[in-house]
Amino acid sequence: MNRREALRALFIVLSSTRANAASPSVSTLIGTGSPGYSDREVNNPYGLVIGPDRDLYFCDLDNQRIRRLDLRTHRTTTIAGNGQKAYSGDGGPAVAASLNMPHEIQFDSAGNLYIAERDNHVVRKVQAKSGVISTFAGTGAPGFSGDGGPAARAQLRQPHSIAVDPKGRLLICDIGNHRIRQVDLSSGTIETYGGTGERLPTPDGAPVKGTPLNGPRTIAITRDGDLYLALREGNAIYRIAPKPGTIHHVAGIGEQGYSGDGGPARLARLAGPKGLAFARGNLYVADTENHVVRRIELETGIITTVLGTGRRGDGPEPDPLRCGLSRPHGVFVSGAGMLYVGDSEAHRIRIVN
């Protein structure tokens, strides 16, 4: 081989290496494809976040637990829940408490953990220092009441999603009441942030207060305080601008389906979106009933599929667009750009890097 041929061969190898390094790859972080409860198994994982310790916390839904996965050792520990489907344990260790369908979790700036328990109709709080659990919002009985008073005396109906905003408020997708509720973390006072309780269309550009929200399923907040909201029944995504307090259509035409990749997200069809994550100018959507995760480039408004085939499945890995998913719910993007996905009914948590 002469010098020119050697240089050409080296160029090909380097080009191939760069291409492979740049190509997204999906792998399983935990899970075997079958439900279980062990260091290797999960049972219908839903919401997930990276905690203050930079490890992964997730709702192990059908194990009725909140678990922590050490991303260095891959060992799991239980943070809350004893595995029994009930409502008990307030005032004691979170690991001894009973949970009922924990859907999503969030941390506040002090490291306290909040849990949205759909079927207990409450949001519970685990103290960072003591590990003691208490009810933060809701009474345990479904209903709508309590605005203007203590959140722990108010009624919720099937809370699904929670987020902490820059103003120090916990926002709750009170989906059964077709409202977003807000709780001041300092005073504990609850109010309605948006929604009227009616299952009606959401007008583009309307004030969020006094405007209907049809199935507010999940929320994600940017550092600037913009709030992105997925309407499960409305099959659409909206942005709420905090200063004018208006709501704006971002994605979905309101009809269930799977279409629109490569074009404007506003003209795409979604099917029961149930998870959102914002990172680096992109909004990631768990398009659950389409069995995919989609990305909206917010600057251009273009939507694409980044994980999944559009058909229910379980792999194969590592090509993200050939890897079947089964009703994904939770999505989270780390500061390093890693996409974590609760591939719920495949009983796996996957990571795309």
Side-chain angles (χ1 to χ4, degrees), residues 80-130:
N82 59 15
Q84 297 177 352
K85 189 177 181 180
Y87 180 33
S88 68
D90 277 0
V95 292
S98 296
L99 311 179
N100 195 343
M101 306 304 278
H103 271 48
E104 281 196 16
I105 49 177
Q106 289 291 336
F107 288 92
D108 65 17
S109 60
N112 301 306
L113 177 68
Y114 298 85
I115 307 168
E117 291 184 57
R118 187 194 69 184
D119 290 2
N120 278 334
H121 311 286
V122 297
V123 175
R124 296 169 90 178
K125 177 180 178 180
V126 180
Q127 290 282 349
K129 293 182 179 179
S130 66

Coordinates of all heavy atoms in Angstrom, one line a residue, residues 80-130:
A80 N -39.4 4.9 48.2 CA -40.7 5.0 48.8 C -41.6 3.9 48.3 O -41.5 3.4 47.1 CB -41.4 6.3 48.4
G81 N -42.4 3.4 49.2 CA -43.4 2.3 48.8 C -43.0 1.0 49.4 O -41.8 0.6 49.3
N82 N -43.9 0.2 49.9 CA -43.7 -1.1 50.4 C -44.2 -2.2 49.5 O -44.2 -3.4 49.9 CB -44.3 -1.2 51.8 CG -45.8 -1.0 51.9 OD1 -46.4 -1.0 50.8 ND2 -46.3 -0.8 53.0
G83 N -44.7 -1.8 48.4 CA -45.2 -2.8 47.4 C -46.7 -3.1 47.5 O -47.2 -3.7 46.6
Q84 N -47.3 -2.6 48.6 CA -48.8 -2.7 48.7 C -49.5 -1.6 48.1 O -49.1 -0.4 48.2 CB -49.1 -2.9 50.2 CG -48.5 -4.1 50.9 CD -48.8 -4.1 52.4 OE1 -49.4 -3.2 52.9 NE2 -48.5 -5.2 53.0
K85 N -50.6 -1.9 47.4 CA -51.4 -0.9 46.7 C -52.4 -0.4 47.7 O -53.5 -0.9 47.9 CB -52.1 -1.5 45.5 CG -52.7 -0.5 44.6 CD -53.3 -1.3 43.4 CE -54.0 -0.3 42.4 NZ -54.5 -1.0 41.2
A86 N -52.1 0.8 48.4 CA -53.0 1.3 49.4 C -52.6 2.8 49.7 O -51.8 3.3 49.0 CB -52.9 0.5 50.7
Y87 N -53.1 3.3 50.7 CA -52.8 4.7 51.1 C -52.6 4.7 52.6 O -53.5 4.7 53.4 CB -54.0 5.6 50.7 CG -53.8 7.1 51.1 CD1 -52.5 7.7 51.1 CD2 -54.9 7.9 51.4 CE1 -52.4 9.0 51.4 CE2 -54.7 9.2 51.8 CZ -53.5 9.8 51.7 OH -53.3 11.1 52.1
S88 N -51.3 4.6 53.0 CA -50.9 4.6 54.4 C -49.5 5.0 54.5 O -48.7 5.1 53.6 CB -51.1 3.2 55.0 OG -50.2 2.3 54.4
G89 N -49.1 5.3 55.8 CA -47.7 5.6 56.1 C -47.3 7.0 56.4 O -46.1 7.2 56.7
D90 N -48.2 7.9 56.2 CA -47.8 9.3 56.5 C -47.3 9.5 57.9 O -47.8 8.9 58.9 CB -49.1 10.2 56.3 CG -49.3 10.6 54.9 OD1 -48.6 10.2 54.0 OD2 -50.3 11.4 54.6
G91 N -46.2 10.3 58.0 CA -45.5 10.5 59.3 C -44.4 9.5 59.6 O -43.7 9.7 60.6
G92 N -44.3 8.5 58.7 CA -43.2 7.5 59.0 C -42.3 7.4 57.8 O -42.4 8.2 56.8
P93 N -41.4 6.4 57.8 CA -40.5 6.3 56.7 C -41.2 6.0 55.4 O -42.1 5.2 55.3 CB -39.6 5.0 57.1 CG -39.9 4.9 58.6 CD -41.2 5.4 58.8
A94 N -40.7 6.7 54.3 CA -41.4 6.5 53.0 C -41.3 5.1 52.5 O -42.2 4.6 51.8 CB -40.7 7.4 52.0
V95 N -40.2 4.3 52.9 CA -40.1 3.0 52.4 C -41.1 2.0 53.0 O -41.4 0.9 52.5 CB -38.7 2.4 52.6 CG1 -37.7 3.2 51.8 CG2 -38.3 2.5 54.1
A96 N -41.8 2.5 54.1 CA -42.8 1.6 54.8 C -44.2 2.0 54.4 O -45.1 1.4 54.8 CB -42.6 1.7 56.3
A97 N -44.3 3.1 53.6 CA -45.6 3.6 53.2 C -46.2 2.8 52.0 O -45.5 2.2 51.3 CB -45.5 5.1 52.9
S98 N -47.5 2.8 51.9 CA -48.2 2.2 50.8 C -48.6 3.3 49.8 O -49.1 4.4 50.2 CB -49.5 1.5 51.2 OG -49.1 0.4 52.1
L99 N -48.3 3.1 48.5 CA -48.6 4.0 47.4 C -49.7 3.3 46.6 O -49.9 2.1 46.6 CB -47.4 4.3 46.6 CG -46.1 4.7 47.3 CD1 -44.9 4.9 46.3 CD2 -46.3 5.9 48.2
N100 N -50.3 4.2 45.7 CA -51.3 3.6 44.8 C -51.2 4.3 43.4 O -51.6 5.4 43.2 CB -52.7 3.9 45.4 CG -53.8 3.1 44.7 OD1 -53.6 2.6 43.6 ND2 -54.9 3.0 45.3
M101 N -50.5 3.6 42.5 CA -50.3 4.0 41.2 C -49.5 5.4 41.1 O -50.0 6.4 40.6 CB -51.6 4.1 40.4 CG -52.4 2.8 40.5 SD -51.5 1.4 39.9 CE -51.7 1.5 38.1
P102 N -48.3 5.4 41.5 CA -47.4 6.6 41.4 C -47.0 6.8 40.0 O -46.3 6.0 39.4 CB -46.2 6.2 42.3 CG -46.1 4.7 42.3 CD -47.5 4.2 42.1
H103 N -47.5 7.9 39.4 CA -47.3 8.2 38.0 C -46.0 9.1 37.7 O -45.3 8.8 36.7 CB -48.5 8.9 37.4 CG -49.5 8.0 36.9 ND1 -50.0 6.9 37.6 CD2 -50.2 8.0 35.7 CE1 -50.9 6.3 36.9 NE2 -51.1 6.9 35.7
E104 N -45.8 10.1 38.5 CA -44.7 11.0 38.2 C -44.0 11.5 39.5 O -44.7 11.5 40.6 CB -45.1 12.2 37.4 CG -45.2 11.8 35.9 CD -45.2 13.1 35.0 OE1 -44.8 14.1 35.5 OE2 -45.6 12.9 33.8
I105 N -42.8 11.9 39.4 CA -42.0 12.4 40.6 C -41.2 13.6 40.1 O -40.9 13.8 39.0 CB -41.0 11.3 41.1 CG1 -40.2 10.7 40.0 CG2 -41.8 10.3 41.9 CD1 -39.2 9.7 40.5
Q106 N -41.0 14.5 41.1 CA -40.1 15.7 40.9 C -39.4 16.0 42.2 O -39.9 15.8 43.3 CB -41.0 16.9 40.5 CG -41.6 16.8 39.1 CD -40.5 16.9 38.0 OE1 -39.4 17.4 38.2 NE2 -40.8 16.3 36.8
F107 N -38.3 16.7 42.1 CA -37.5 17.2 43.2 C -37.7 18.7 43.2 O -37.7 19.4 42.2 CB -36.1 16.9 43.1 CG -35.7 15.4 43.4 CD1 -35.7 14.5 42.3 CD2 -35.5 15.0 44.7 CE1 -35.4 13.2 42.6 CE2 -35.2 13.7 44.9 CZ -35.1 12.7 43.9
D108 N -37.7 19.3 44.5 CA -37.6 20.7 44.6 C -36.2 21.1 44.8 O -35.3 20.3 44.8 CB -38.6 21.3 45.7 CG -38.2 20.8 47.1 OD1 -37.0 20.4 47.3 OD2 -39.0 20.9 48.0
S109 N -35.9 22.4 45.0 CA -34.6 22.9 45.1 C -33.9 22.5 46.4 O -32.6 22.5 46.5 CB -34.5 24.4 45.0 OG -35.3 25.0 46.1
A110 N -34.6 22.0 47.4 CA -34.1 21.5 48.6 C -33.8 20.0 48.6 O -33.4 19.5 49.6 CB -35.0 21.9 49.8
G111 N -34.2 19.4 47.5 CA -34.0 17.9 47.4 C -35.2 17.1 47.9 O -35.1 15.9 48.0
N112 N -36.3 17.7 48.3 CA -37.5 17.0 48.7 C -38.1 16.4 47.4 O -38.1 17.0 46.4 CB -38.5 17.9 49.4 CG -37.9 18.5 50.6 OD1 -37.4 17.9 51.5 ND2 -37.9 19.9 50.7
L113 N -38.7 15.2 47.6 CA -39.2 14.4 46.5 C -40.8 14.5 46.6 O -41.3 14.2 47.6 CB -38.8 13.0 46.5 CG -39.3 12.0 45.5 CD1 -38.8 12.4 44.1 CD2 -39.0 10.6 45.8
Y114 N -41.4 14.8 45.4 CA -42.9 14.8 45.4 C -43.3 13.7 44.5 O -42.7 13.4 43.4 CB -43.3 16.2 44.8 CG -43.0 17.3 45.7 CD1 -41.7 17.9 45.6 CD2 -43.9 17.8 46.7 CE1 -41.4 19.0 46.5 CE2 -43.5 18.8 47.6 CZ -42.2 19.4 47.4 OH -41.9 20.4 48.3
I115 N -44.4 13.0 44.8 CA -45.0 11.9 44.1 C -46.4 12.1 43.8 O -47.3 12.4 44.7 CB -44.9 10.6 45.0 CG1 -43.4 10.4 45.5 CG2 -45.4 9.4 44.2 CD1 -43.3 9.3 46.6
A116 N -46.8 12.1 42.5 CA -48.2 12.1 42.1 C -48.7 10.7 42.1 O -48.3 9.9 41.3 CB -48.3 12.7 40.7
E117 N -49.7 10.5 43.0 CA -50.3 9.2 43.1 C -51.7 9.2 42.5 O -52.6 9.8 43.2 CB -50.4 8.7 44.6 CG -49.0 8.4 45.2 CD -49.2 7.8 46.6 OE1 -49.9 6.8 46.8 OE2 -48.6 8.4 47.5
R118 N -51.9 8.7 41.4 CA -53.1 8.8 40.7 C -54.3 8.3 41.5 O -55.4 9.0 41.6 CB -53.1 8.1 39.3 CG -54.3 8.4 38.4 CD -54.3 7.4 37.3 NE -54.6 6.0 37.7 CZ -54.5 4.9 36.9 NH1 -54.3 5.1 35.6 NH2 -54.8 3.7 37.4
D119 N -54.2 7.1 41.9 CA -55.4 6.4 42.5 C -55.6 6.7 44.0 O -56.6 6.3 44.5 CB -55.4 4.9 42.2 CG -55.6 4.6 40.7 OD1 -55.7 5.5 39.9 OD2 -55.6 3.4 40.4
N120 N -54.7 7.4 44.6 CA -54.9 7.9 45.9 C -55.4 9.4 45.9 O -55.7 10.0 46.9 CB -53.6 7.8 46.8 CG -53.5 6.5 47.4 OD1 -54.4 5.7 47.6 ND2 -52.2 6.1 47.7
H121 N -55.3 10.0 44.7 CA -55.8 11.3 44.4 C -55.0 12.3 45.3 O -55.6 13.3 45.8 CB -57.3 11.5 44.7 CG -58.1 10.4 44.0 ND1 -58.4 10.4 42.7 CD2 -58.7 9.3 44.5 CE1 -59.1 9.3 42.4 NE2 -59.3 8.6 43.5
V122 N -53.7 12.1 45.4 CA -52.9 12.9 46.3 C -51.5 13.2 45.6 O -51.1 12.4 44.7 CB -52.7 12.4 47.7 CG1 -54.0 12.2 48.4 CG2 -51.9 11.0 47.6
V123 N -50.8 14.2 46.1 CA -49.4 14.3 45.9 C -48.7 14.2 47.2 O -49.1 14.9 48.2 CB -49.1 15.7 45.2 CG1 -47.5 15.9 45.1 CG2 -49.7 15.8 43.9
R124 N -47.8 13.3 47.3 CA -47.1 13.2 48.6 C -45.7 13.7 48.5 O -45.1 13.8 47.4 CB -47.1 11.7 49.0 CG -48.6 11.3 49.3 CD -48.7 9.8 49.4 NE -48.6 9.4 50.8 CZ -48.7 8.1 51.2 NH1 -48.9 7.1 50.4 NH2 -48.6 7.8 52.5
K125 N -45.1 13.9 49.7 CA -43.8 14.6 49.8 C -42.9 13.7 50.7 O -43.3 13.3 51.8 CB -43.9 16.0 50.4 CG -42.6 16.7 50.6 CD -42.9 18.1 51.2 CE -41.6 18.8 51.5 NZ -41.9 20.2 52.1
V126 N -41.7 13.4 50.2 CA -40.7 12.7 51.0 C -39.6 13.7 51.4 O -38.9 14.3 50.5 CB -40.1 11.5 50.2 CG1 -39.0 10.8 51.1 CG2 -41.2 10.6 49.8
Q127 N -39.4 13.9 52.7 CA -38.4 14.9 53.1 C -37.0 14.4 52.8 O -36.7 13.2 53.0 CB -38.5 15.0 54.6 CG -39.7 15.8 55.1 CD -39.6 17.3 54.9 OE1 -38.5 17.8 54.6 NE2 -40.7 18.0 55.0
A128 N -36.2 15.3 52.3 CA -34.8 14.9 51.8 C -34.0 14.4 52.9 O -33.3 13.4 52.8 CB -34.2 16.1 51.1
K129 N -34.0 15.0 54.1 CA -33.1 14.7 55.2 C -33.6 13.5 56.0 O -32.8 12.6 56.3 CB -32.9 15.9 56.1 CG -32.2 17.0 55.4 CD -31.9 18.2 56.4 CE -31.1 19.3 55.8 NZ -30.9 20.4 56.7
S130 N -34.9 13.4 56.2 CA -35.4 12.4 57.1 C -35.9 11.2 56.4 O -36.0 10.1 57.0 CB -36.5 13.0 58.0 OG -37.6 13.3 57.2

